[in-house]
Amino acid sequence: MSEHASSDHSDGHSHDDSYYVKVWGVLLVLLAISYVGPWLEIAIVTLLTAFGIAGVKAYLVMKYFMHLDVEKPIVRYFLVTSVVFMVLMFAGVAPDIMKHEGTNWENLAAKAEIERALAVQAAGGGHGEDAGGHDDAGAGHTEGH
Amino acid sequence: MAFKPIATTRSATGVLTSKLAVWWLLASEVVIFGGVLVSYLMHRVGHPEWAEYASHTDPRIGLVNTIVLLSSSLTAVLAHQAAERGDGPRAARFLWYTVGGACAFLLIKSAEWTMEISHGYTIWANGFWSFYYTAAGIHASHVIAGAVLMIWVARSARKNEDLHRVENVGLYWHFVDIVWIFLFPLLYIAK
């Protein structure tokens, strides 16, 4: 079935190997920027160089290595649908996890764990199991109030 | 030509059926990894104490592993290009380089985890480390699966058989690379 190797690439997007090596070079430069970004110790710069550049790198890999730009539209529909479901999950759950209290509820376990862990860290702990505790606050247990 | 089932030779979408299946798989993977990553993000935002836990990961190791995976993605796409030109042996060779990248990644990861576990940063140490091992562990299992698949595809590509599989396995590998591109800042850079 080797005759199918380029059956759906009739638009001739095949490139010389050096083309892909250049894309790889750009990816490495971007990686270097994301690595040194936090050295400036400016939160917004770290956010941009870490996550902004991760987005750019993912875009480059999808466009140039996965050839998504010349792929049939149905593939993009698949991916967009998945991302929409992911965002939906985030939007539905995030308020309960990122906040620890609301109009009629309070996440006592999470608050207690944050208080405990920050106290341990302030006291100079926070190494390995010392910092571990046995919390389940990370799981976002909510107690009625 | 050997008999082929009709489902693999016709296409209503204009995309080769096997490649369409890979994209379906990747769409489902987006939800799996996306779910883990956004859950981590939510907890990270909601738990200021995690910043201290995260400061114990070593960005240098993350950096090296990112370089390894980006380079293995390059060899995967070069394998695809060789397959496009009908050069199976060259495609197989580049797939083997990619397998080498996968093995290097796993070796570095093993050494890193051994070091962290020996320092007491275990999966049950706290929520951060639970996410750390879960997310990186699911990713590593995909690296292993990708390496096995590439060995399989390389063996047939070497004989110029089923060259369309080279692109399919490459797509999967690029996705594994993209997941790591997001794991790197989440687990190593954001302190």
Side-chain angles (χ1 to χ4, degrees):
Chain A
M1 203 163 156
S2 58
E3 69 270 23
H4 283 296
S6 56
S7 62
D8 52 344
H9 292 299
S10 50
D11 47 1
H13 69 272
S14 188
H15 294 280
D16 198 58
D17 286 358
S18 63
Y19 172 83
Y20 295 102
V21 175
K22 279 179 201 153
V23 176
W24 173 73
V26 172
L27 286 167
L28 289 190
V29 170
L30 288 173
L31 172 64
I33 297 171
S34 65
Y35 183 75
V36 301
W39 293 1
L40 295 173
E41 294 186 347
I42 305 168
I44 187 74
V45 173
T46 301
L47 271 179
L48 280 174
T49 55
F51 298 104
I53 285 185
V56 175
K57 280 195 293 186
Y59 170 79
L60 291 178
V61 171
M62 282 191 282
K63 181 172 159 64
Y64 294 103
F65 287 177
M66 300 173 92
H67 301 112
L68 202 54
D69 55 338
V70 293
E71 198 51 272
K72 296 285 184 291
I74 190 164
V75 170
R76 266 166 276 168
Y77 301 155
F78 283 176
L79 297 176
V80 168
T81 306
S82 286
V83 172
V84 166
F85 274 113
M86 191 185 83
V87 172
L88 260 178
M89 188 210 109
F90 178 80
V93 181
D96 283 350
I97 306 293
M98 288 162 61
K99 290 162 63 183
H100 302 307
E101 60 184 23
T103 311
N104 289 313
W105 62 278
E106 185 178 10
N107 187 344
L108 296 172
K111 283 183 170 180
E113 169 57 17
I114 292 168
E115 200 176 323
R116 184 202 66 79
L118 288 178
V120 170
Q121 287 167 11
H127 296 289
E129 288 180 336
D130 299 339
H134 301 284
D135 70 293
D136 55 3
H141 284 232
T142 305
E143 292 176 22
H145 193 59
Chain B
M1 184 179 162
F3 171 76
K4 293 278 181 187
I6 194 166
T8 61
T9 52
R10 70 173 183 186
S11 172
T13 57
V15 182
L16 193 65
T17 310
S18 62
K19 188 159 80 170
L20 196 65
V22 175
W23 281 116
W24 262 119
L25 173 78
L26 297 189
S28 66
E29 297 272 16
V30 167
V31 186
I32 294 171
F33 280 106
V36 173
L37 295 188
V38 298
S39 298
Y40 168 77
L41 204 60
M42 290 181 229
H43 283 88
R44 184 69 196 271
V45 172
H47 286 267
E49 78 276 20
W50 282 25
E52 199 276 339
Y53 302 150
S55 70
H56 297 288
T57 60
D58 191 339
R60 291 168 303 178
I61 300 176
L63 177 75
V64 172
N65 256 348
T66 311
I67 294 170
V68 168
L69 273 197
L70 287 176
S71 306
S72 70
S73 248
L74 172 68
T75 54
V77 78
L78 292 181
H80 170 210
Q81 290 307 303
E84 290 268 327
R85 292 192 283 264
D87 189 346
R90 183 176 163 84
R93 198 164 64 246
F94 275 115
L95 280 181
W96 278 108
Y97 294 154
T98 314
V99 172
C103 293
F105 178 89
L106 291 170
L107 274 174
I108 295 167
K109 200 104 213 77
S110 308
E112 179 190 27
W113 280 20
T114 305
M115 200 167 59
E116 284 160 352
I117 291 167
S118 68
H119 281 87
Y121 304 122
T122 57
I123 194 167
W124 52 82
N126 54 54
F128 169 79
W129 288 103
S130 298
F131 266 108
Y132 173 85
Y133 287 109
T134 304
I138 298 172
H139 178 264
S141 68
H142 280 73
V143 172
I144 295 168
V148 172
L149 287 168
M150 282 185 289
I151 291 169
W152 185 34
V153 173
R155 284 164 65 90
S156 57
R158 191 169 57 87
K159 293 177 274 185
N160 268 326
E161 290 171 3
D162 294 327
L163 287 184
H164 65 290
R165 288 179 178 168
V166 177
E167 180 183 11
N168 294 343
V169 77
L171 287 174
Y172 174 85
W173 192 254
H174 298 313
F175 177 80
V176 171
D177 185 24
I178 289 174
V179 170
W180 184 260
I181 284 174
F182 287 107
L183 279 176
F184 173 61
L186 281 171
L187 300 179
Y188 294 92
I189 296 292
K191 301 292 189 193

